[in-house]
Structures are given as C-alpha cells and as structure tokens.
Amino acid sequence: MTGPLCWSYTALPILHRELFLRVIAKSREETWENILSRSITTPLDLPESLKPGNAEGLERVAQNYPMRLNPYTLRLITKKNDPFYKQAVPDLRELTDLRGFDDPLNEEELSPVPGLTHHYPDRVLFLVSSQCAMYCRFCNRKRKVGRPSMGTKETLREGIAYIRKTRKVRDVLLSGGDPLLLPDKELYRILAELRSISHVEIIRIGTRVPCTLPQRVTPELANLLRGFHPLFINTHFNHPDEITPEAALGCARLADAGIPLGCQTVLLKGVNDDAKIIRDLMQKLLTVRVRPYYLFQADQAKGTAHFWTPLQQGLDIISKLQGHTTGLCVPHFAVDLPGGGGKVNLVPSALSEKEGRTVIRNYLGKKCEWDIGEVPKVH
C-alpha cells in the first residue's frame, strides 16, 4: 500500500498513529511464514500485466541468481519497470553484462572461517542466514544468497568460536541473507551465544525485512530483540513508496523495543538516482523513526552494472540535500572500495582557494572568503 494512504499516516497526530497501524495490520492478518510460502520464484509466474516479454529467457537468470517476490512485495509494484519492479524482477543483463566482480568486496579472502569476514580491526561481519524475503537484483552477494551452503550450522558454530577466541572483536554485524528470516528460536540462540562473550559489546543486525516483509516484525520478535541491548538495526529502503503503513508498523515495533534504527540506501540507476526522490525518502524515513545512515554507491558485483551510477551523481544529490532539509535527513555518501579497500565517505567539496584565501560555498551557492582574524567577505 503506497501513495495517499501512506501520507494519511504521516499526517495523523502521533498518539493516533499506532492505532491506525494496528487496524491496517489486523485487516491483513496473516503469518509471515504463510506470506513467504506464497512467493513467486520464477518470472513465468508473474501476473500477466507484469510478465516480461522475454520471461522464458529470464528463467536462465533466475536459475543463476534466485528470484523471490512475496505477495507483500508484489503489491509494491504498480507497473512494469517501476522502481520496485527493477529491484525485484530478473533482467537479462544480469547474464549478458559481465562487468564487475563475483566478490566485489573481497569478502572471501578476508574470511578466517567460512561465513565470517574480519576486515576492520574491532568488528566482524557474520553471515547467519542464506534467505531473503526478496532477492534484490543489485545484491553484492548475489553469488551466494539463496544457496544452502551459506549460513549452515557448521559455519555458525565456526563463526561463534572465532569471535569467542578473538578478543579484539567488540562489534558483530549479523547479515546474510537476512538474519530476521531465521525462526525466533534460532535467532535467540545466536544472540544469546554472542551476548555470552564478554568482549562483544555491540551487536548489529542488517535487515531488509521492514521493507520487504514487515509482517515478520511481530510483537514477539520485538520482545526477543529487546533482551539483547545494546542492539542496533540498519534496515534498507531505496524509494519513498516502500514506506507503507505495514513498514511503518514494523519500524514502530522495533523502535518501541528501544532499538536505534538506521537506513542504508543504495543509489540505483532508474530507481532512485534523483535528488527529489532521495530527499522524499529520507524525510519519510524520519516519520517512521528511522535515521538515514548511508547512501551507498552500488557495489560493482557482476550482473548489476545496469544499476551503476557515476560517483559525481551521488555527490550532487548530497549537495542538493544539504541546507534544503534538516541535517537529520542527510546520510553519509559512501563507496565500498572494490577488492576489500573498505568504506570511504565522500563529501561534496565546499572549499576552494582565491588569492591565498579559503573560499567556502554554502548550500545556496554563495561564497564566503574566509581568513582567520578578518571579517569574512560574502558574495
């Protein structure tokens, strides 16, 4: 559900929003497991109005890179090639455009044990699930998501053992796949194991569930997570139309459980590579208590080149946000360098030189000549 109904939520007085959200949820009461079980996994099963002309050819894409479009995410698509369609439906270019890397961030080489990447000194990335509520076509791990070899009992056991013996690890990021697609009991066991390790101070979860299957965020899940603070969740919305009443309820349950929420958005050609779309998204995120965190340059994973944008485009978008909306709405623009170089935050340059003086440009383009000890000249 998008459009006017979503905006009617944001216009409600705060005290009435939870009631509104619960009414919406009640009207569509269905378990998340049941919703997920009715997912479309082949382009041939798409509704006729959304079926690509070359659906049979796209079967080969789905065989190489899994497809999953559950009934909730299907409702987010309004027509062929709209922003959510492009993120969810296979594209022949995934097999024909071979630019990029199978493992763009060199995670495998940085893995002391399978399923765990130790790149930065004090933190690790721990892959605990192979499943996603929707398989994003731009995923940087499309080489392995949806496959049973990812996030097995053995890799979980080895990963926890590595964290336990590596005392410099103070921060663990659970990812996958999507950690919140694990059954509650399995997620509880992993979190309890990590909390039993004295040097693990912070646990983070990366999940797209609030966007692609918000019904998974049940009151029981929120209460489970509440017991493992300090716990942080970074979710992933790419377009303002993805913030529906159901997504708002999922985020509200997590926020009410005391979990700080951030959003990691990926800049995608033809989806959100526009300053107004990004501004609207960031502003709507704040209405559902999610703080914009990163705007990511799309990783150079093989099969995703049709989503790539120039670096300058991301910088221009950040420039158009600064000063034109609250600073809370301005994320870090970051690129994760290929080959395991790590994340680098990029910022639009506001500085230049003029006759030995520093010139600072503001959000309106006005320039101020700055020199310590003198009255700045603004023009």
Side-chain angles (χ1 to χ4, degrees), residues 15-85:
L15 291 176
H16 296 166
R17 290 184 183 181
E18 179 71 9
L19 176 61
F20 174 79
L21 295 173
R22 292 189 185 281
V23 168
I24 292 294
K26 188 69 175 177
S27 69
R28 295 178 178 157
E29 194 166 2
E30 185 177 15
T31 68
W32 68 271
E33 295 96 336
N34 184 267
I35 295 171
L36 198 63
S37 72
R38 296 189 289 109
S39 296
I40 292 171
T41 58
T42 167
L44 293 175
D45 289 340
L46 284 167
E48 287 301 320
S49 62
L50 299 178
K51 192 173 292 185
N54 59 342
E56 292 187 5
L58 294 181
E59 286 296 290
R60 290 192 296 117
V61 181
Q63 289 167 7
N64 281 270
Y65 303 118
M67 171 186 179
R68 177 180 276 167
L69 194 57
N70 68 65
Y72 172 78
T73 50
L74 183 62
R75 285 197 288 110
L76 297 182
I77 299 175
T78 58
K79 61 182 179 180
K80 282 184 182 179
N81 295 315
D82 73 7
F84 207 81
Y85 183 100

Side-chain angles (χ1 to χ4, degrees), residues 150-203:
M150 183 181 176
T152 66
K153 289 183 179 179
E154 181 63 26
T155 62
L156 290 175
R157 185 163 50 247
E158 291 186 25
I160 289 172
Y162 177 85
I163 295 167
R164 193 178 295 279
K165 74 178 182 181
T166 310
R167 298 196 59 82
K168 62 183 177 180
V169 174
R170 56 175 292 276
D171 180 346
V172 178
L173 170 60
L174 302 182
S175 187
D178 199 310
L180 295 191
L181 279 198
L182 293 171
D184 285 0
K185 287 184 179 179
E186 179 63 17
L187 183 60
Y188 179 89
R189 189 188 70 79
I190 294 170
L191 292 171
E193 288 270 16
L194 293 173
R195 270 284 160 253
S196 73
I197 301 172
S198 60
H199 54 269
V200 173
E201 299 174 8
I202 295 170
I203 299 174

